[in-house]
Amino acid sequence: MEANEADVDFFISIHRNSSPEPNTYSGVESLVFDRSGIKLEMAEGINDQLESIGFVNLGVKERPGLVVLRRTDMPSVLVEAGFINSDTDNTLFDRNFDDIALAIAEGILDTLQLNGDLPDHTVPAGSYTVQAGAFRNGTYADRLQQELLEQDFPAVISQNNGIYRVTVGTYPTLDEAAAMERLLKRAGYQTVVTGS
């Protein structure tokens, strides 16, 4: 496969789903070789982002028989971005094409950020902060910041290299940052402590 020859880190294949009868099913799903590792996290992140656009989230499914997943040497995800024979999905797809592309990218970037695979140069040396989200689309960052502020979390947005990061607080010690991270996790947010 070309992806193997190019020695890429991840392989994302984007498709539209279909069903035998029109308007029987709708929603997005992602397919992986097996439900493990970073590919599963990435598939879940992509689905979550697409759900925020209005698609039904049909989850992540194992498909070890698919050549595109079986023969790649790197973590791989096949994204089914709605059903091509669903009027509901087609309307969402046509009205939100750019947002769908951004949602897929953000699902990937969020996973890489949460796994520490993307550098974060927004925290002053010798301090820590808690990141609640990283987005390519500033609108999503604004939405998350407002949601956090409404719950009295001191959320701010920083932008670096096209990534909008929503962080909460700046702390001189890792223990203080970890305490805030626990509060955010209890409130239902996926977080990562960044800093040095």
Side-chain angles (χ1 to χ4, degrees):
M1 295 187 77
E2 287 182 32
N4 294 339
E5 292 171 12
D7 196 29
V8 300
D9 295 322
F10 301 97
F11 183 83
I12 310 298
S13 185
I14 303 169
H15 301 258
R16 299 288 309 277
N17 216 336
S18 187
S19 61
E21 295 291 324
N23 296 308
T24 305
Y25 302 101
S26 67
V28 296
E29 65 182 1
S30 290
L31 310 177
V32 292
F33 182 79
D34 60 43
R35 292 179 53 83
S36 68
I38 195 168
K39 66 185 174 296
L40 174 60
E41 294 174 42
M42 197 170 284
E44 290 172 337
I46 291 168
N47 283 9
D48 288 346
Q49 291 288 343
L50 289 170
E51 184 178 12
S52 73
I53 291 172
F55 287 102
V56 173
N57 185 345
L58 299 174
V60 179
K61 299 184 175 67
E62 287 188 2
R63 290 292 190 275
L66 290 177
V67 171
V68 72
L69 301 175
R70 188 180 72 237
R71 295 185 58 197
T72 46
D73 296 337
M74 70 292 300
S76 303
V77 178
L78 188 149
V79 179
E80 296 280 11
F83 283 76
I84 200 162
N85 60 347
S86 161
D87 293 342
T88 301
D89 285 357
N90 284 332
T91 299
L92 281 168
F93 196 85
D94 293 342
R95 290 183 181 167
N96 301 284
F97 185 82
D98 290 343
D99 287 338
I100 289 167
L102 284 170
I104 293 169
E106 286 167 1
I108 295 165
L109 290 170
D110 285 352
T111 303
L112 295 176
Q113 184 67 45
L114 289 170
N115 280 278
D117 293 326
L118 286 180
D120 184 358
H121 304 291
T122 61
V123 182
S127 65
Y128 300 86
T129 191
V130 182
Q131 180 174 293
F135 306 93
R136 284 246 181 229
N137 185 331
T139 303
Y140 296 131
D142 290 338
R143 191 177 306 151
L144 177 58
Q145 181 193 30
Q146 288 308 309
E147 185 179 306
L148 290 165
L149 290 172
E150 287 170 9
Q151 298 176 67
D152 296 322
F153 289 112
V156 297
I157 297 174
S158 60
Q159 194 267 345
N160 187 19
N161 294 329
I163 305 287
Y164 296 86
R165 290 180 175 82
V166 181
T167 58
V168 177
T170 302
Y171 307 94
T173 69
L174 183 57
D175 287 343
E176 290 171 277
M180 176 55 76
E181 182 183 35
R182 283 191 294 277
L183 288 174
L184 286 162
K185 284 191 174 183
R186 270 189 236 126
Y189 296 98
Q190 291 186 344
T191 60
V192 62
V193 175
T194 62
S196 59

